[in-house]
Amino acid sequence: MRVAGVDCSTKKIAIFYIEDDNSAQTSEVISKNTESSARIDEMFKLMIEEFKLKKPTIVYCENSPYLQNIKVTLAIHSVVDSVRFASVLNDIPFQTVEVTSWKKDQIGNGRADKAQIMSWAKAKYGDIITNQDLSDAAAIAGWGWKRMKDE
């Protein structure tokens, strides 16, 4: 079983894979395109290849947050949908998770801040956690891993 946890932004998709209780790896899909729509399109194509290569059993992705800036909210929602469609095209089950759910389950606090999440992820996975997005993706993957083991 290979669970993928995914954290999306408008410029990068962070992916954390858990294969068993002791094996984990990270990946990042990044677009440097200056135009938002072109970045999302590029990341979508890269995600199709990522999932084709890495073959996760299931993908768990943080649901799109509602932000004050509607343009950014819609852009992140489009990135999440890109991950969904890349999963579908590779016949991989896909599920979103609310930020407060994975934070409460993994960190113990549904309102955990970035420092708490980073501290948790570094303590659990060590040096493969190189940035905040990967720490979020690791917690999301852990949340999904628990659900898959319980089924």
Side-chain angles (χ1 to χ4, degrees), residues 115-145:
Q116 291 170 305
I117 299 162
M118 180 64 89
S119 177
W120 173 88
K122 283 235 180 234
K124 185 158 180 81
Y125 296 108
D127 291 339
I128 66 171
I129 303 298
T130 57
N131 61 58
Q132 186 65 49
D133 298 318
L134 286 173
S135 69
D136 290 358
I140 294 163
W143 182 91
W145 182 261

Side-chain angles (χ1 to χ4, degrees), residues 4 10 18 48 69 91 97-98 106 141:
T10 59
I18 300 175
I48 293 169
N69 182 327
D91 295 318
V97 56
E98 297 301 323
Q106 294 295 291

Side-chain angles (χ1 to χ4, degrees), residues 63-75:
N63 203 2
S64 305
Y66 173 75
L67 305 169
Q68 296 287 36
N69 182 327
I70 190 65
K71 285 180 74 175
V72 175
T73 299
L74 292 173

